[in-house]
Amino acid sequence: AQSVTQPDIHITVSEGASLELRCNYSYGATPYLFWYVQSPGQGLQLLLKYFSGDTLVQGIKGFEAEFKRSQSSFNLRKPSVHWSDAAEYFCAATDSWGKLQFGAGTQVVVTP
Amino acid sequence: GAVVSQHPSWVICKSGTSVKIECRSLDFQATTMFWYRQFPKQSLMLMATSNEGSKATYEQGVEKDKFLINHASLTLSTLTVTSAHPEDSSFYICSASSGPYQETQYFGPGTRLLVL
């Protein structure tokens, strides 16, 4: 069965430190991959997406993600987090039929 | 670009009443719209997919008679929760897609429903 796994439910990081959020997928073929961010009580904002091509994808707010086919992973990174990056982050995948499947989410807490 | 709005942003209703939630794509035509439900501290669960001018496709376990979806135009989809009960209280989020294969979805801000 198709699945998206975010192993880390909760991550605490100091402001200014680097951040990496893990995402693994299980699909028959390489799906389209996305990272979304959700602030409390808000909808989802698209950070970046991978369809094909360059495996290092640049997104908004200084985020990037690297697609690794051999590891079925699409990890999100940011070199230096800001307090405003505290939020819930969702990895998602879809095949060509468009149904997005979300991971369970990773809650990021930023400490001073 | 790619802005999706939802109205209302929150609603409180009495048990047994019906509630309509609107989802609009403001600056693009959405060939497909999706409705999700999110429980506190959980991920989004797809409820249904709607294409303009056709019946919605519901996910397994979602009652189509309870959650009525209408996609009357390329910029508007509505979700009506009929005869709402407290267990229907949740955060409902819509998304819209314009890509040829619906690859990228743009999400609305969500509607919080509380049924008393």
Side-chain angles (χ1 to χ4, degrees):
Chain A
Q2 298 172 337
S3 66
V4 177
T5 303
Q6 293 180 246
D8 305 304
I9 297 173
H10 186 274
I11 284 181
T12 299
V13 59
S14 299
E15 191 168 14
S18 64
L19 174 69
E20 181 167 15
L21 304 182
R22 296 183 291 165
C23 174
N24 294 95
Y25 64 89
S26 176
Y27 272 69
T30 300
Y32 302 122
L33 296 160
F34 306 82
W35 275 100
Y36 287 90
V37 61
Q38 184 180 35
S39 297
Q42 301 296 314
L44 275 68
Q45 182 180 22
L46 178 66
L47 288 175
L48 47 77
K49 60 187 177 184
Y50 173 77
F51 288 177
S52 65
D54 194 344
T55 56
L56 186 61
V57 181
Q58 301 297 320
I60 62 171
K61 302 186 178 187
F63 285 94
E64 66 177 24
E66 185 172 13
F67 168 70
K68 292 186 177 179
R69 185 188 306 274
S70 61
Q71 298 178 19
S72 297
S73 69
F74 187 56
N75 294 348
L76 181 72
R77 299 193 293 253
K78 185 168 184 177
S80 176
V81 298
H82 186 261
W83 63 266
S84 60
D85 294 322
E88 184 92 20
Y89 291 80
F90 291 97
C91 180
T94 183
D95 54 24
S96 60
W97 297 107
K99 285 174 57 173
L100 265 180
Q101 184 155 9
F102 287 87
T106 298
Q107 181 71 46
V108 173
V109 173
V110 180
T111 59
Chain B
V3 178
V4 177
S5 70
Q6 277 183 246
H7 179 80
S9 56
W10 60 271
V11 57
I12 301 174
C13 69
K14 293 182 179 180
S15 185
T17 61
S18 295
V19 174
K20 179 183 285 189
I21 302 170
E22 293 186 348
C23 176
R24 293 181 184 273
S25 57
L26 299 184
D27 51 2
F28 67 101
Q29 292 188 323
T31 52
T32 305
M33 288 185 169
F34 303 84
W35 287 95
Y36 296 84
R37 184 172 181 178
Q38 185 180 31
F39 291 102
K41 304 217 180 278
Q42 293 189 28
S43 189
L44 283 73
M45 299 300 295
L46 179 65
M47 298 174 65
T49 303
S50 74
N51 293 290
E52 184 263 339
S54 61
K55 289 185 177 181
T57 302
Y58 290 81
E59 294 301 299
Q60 190 172 9
V62 178
E63 299 176 60
K64 58 181 66 177
D65 293 331
K66 180 163 193 61
F67 298 100
L68 300 179
I69 292 172
N70 182 273
H71 194 158
S73 76
L74 285 172
T75 60
L76 173 64
S77 176
T78 60
L79 168 67
T80 301
V81 183
T82 62
S83 186
H85 288 90
E87 58 266 29
D88 299 323
S89 299
S90 191
F91 194 49
Y92 293 89
I93 304 176
C94 75
S95 71
S97 175
S98 63
Y101 303 107
Q102 300 99 47
E103 310 96 9
T104 302
Q105 295 179 29
Y106 298 94
F107 286 79
T111 297
R112 188 161 302 282
L113 170 63
L114 177 60
V115 185
L116 302 176

